[in-house]
Amino acid sequence: MKNLGKVLIVIVILGAILFGIYSILPEFSHNILRSMYQAKFDDEAKVKIKATQELTNPNLKQNYKTILESHTDTKGWVYDKSEDGSTETVTFYGNKVSLILKEIPDHEDMLYDGTTVKVTFVTDAEENITVNVYLGNSSTPVDDVVRPYVFAQLLNGSTTDE
C-alpha cells in the first residue's frame, strides 16, 4: 500500500508539472498542442475545421487548407466558440514562413523570413465569415490590400526577382 501511495503522489506531481509547462507555453506552441487534441477527440471541432479548410479563396481558386499548408512548416488548426455562442473561430497556425511582399501599391516592401502566420476565420451569427491574417508577433492583422499577396505567397512560395 505504501508503494501505491508513492506512485499516486508521483503521478500527481508529474501531472502538475506537465500542466504548469503547458500553461506557460507561448501561443503558437500551446495552440499546436490544442490542434492535436482537437483532431483526435473533439468531433465538433473536426467538423468546423474541415468546413473551414474546404472554403475556397475567391482570388486563388484554391481551398484554404491547400493555400495555408503548402509552404508552412509546423501547422495546426484550432476551433473556438464564444461563450455566448454568437461567434465561432477557426484559427490556422503555421511557422517557418518566408514572405517577400514588395511592389504592393501604397505599401513599403516587407520581408518576413522564418516567421509565424496566424489566420483567423470568424463566423458570426448570420454565417458571415471574416478572415484576418497576422504575421509574426503582430496583434494587428494585415490590411485588405496585403492579404491577397500573403495568400498567393503561402500557396506558391516566396520568390525573388534576382
Side-chain angles (χ1 to χ4, degrees):
M1 280 310 252
K2 287 183 181 184
N3 286 339
L4 178 63
K6 289 179 183 179
V7 168
L8 288 175
I9 289 173
V10 168
I11 290 172
V12 168
I13 290 171
L14 284 175
I17 290 170
L18 290 174
F19 178 77
I21 291 170
Y22 175 77
S23 297
I24 62 171
L25 285 174
E27 179 186 27
F28 181 83
S29 301
H30 179 83
N31 284 308
I32 292 298
L33 292 174
R34 280 184 62 209
S35 74
M36 289 181 208
Y37 170 81
Q38 286 183 339
K40 300 276 188 221
F41 303 110
D42 190 336
D43 292 332
E44 180 182 16
K46 283 189 241 183
V47 169
K48 300 295 184 175
I49 290 168
K50 184 170 176 52
T52 302
Q53 291 172 335
E54 292 174 352
L55 292 172
T56 300
N57 179 292
N59 297 326
L60 299 173
K61 309 293 188 244
Q62 293 283 336
N63 67 45
Y64 280 104
K65 180 177 175 63
T66 302
I67 294 168
L68 297 174
E69 293 186 1
S70 292
H71 288 90
T72 52
D73 192 15
T74 306
K75 50 197 145 250
W77 295 81
V78 176
Y79 168 74
D80 290 301
K81 189 174 190 174
S82 64
E83 288 185 23
D84 64 2
S86 63
T87 61
E88 297 176 334
T89 304
V90 173
T91 305
F92 170 82
Y93 295 90
N95 74 348
K96 297 188 180 171
V97 174
S98 294
L99 301 170
I100 301 168
L101 304 170
K102 59 183 180 178
E103 299 175 10
I104 300 173
D106 300 323
H107 288 75
E108 293 185 25
D109 292 351
M110 296 174 274
L111 170 66
Y112 295 91
D113 188 31
T115 193
T116 58
V117 63
K118 172 180 160 182
V119 181
T120 60
F121 300 83
V122 181
T123 306
D124 64 18
E126 288 81 40
E127 299 294 318
N128 298 314
I129 299 174
T130 304
V131 180
N132 289 307
V133 177
Y134 302 85
L135 298 173
N137 295 324
S138 177
S139 59
T140 306
V142 299
D143 63 37
D144 294 342
V145 174
V146 175
R147 188 180 320 121
Y149 291 89
V150 172
F151 285 142
Q153 284 197 22
L154 287 172
L155 176 62
N156 301 313
S158 63
T159 57
T160 61
D161 294 332
E162 301 174 302

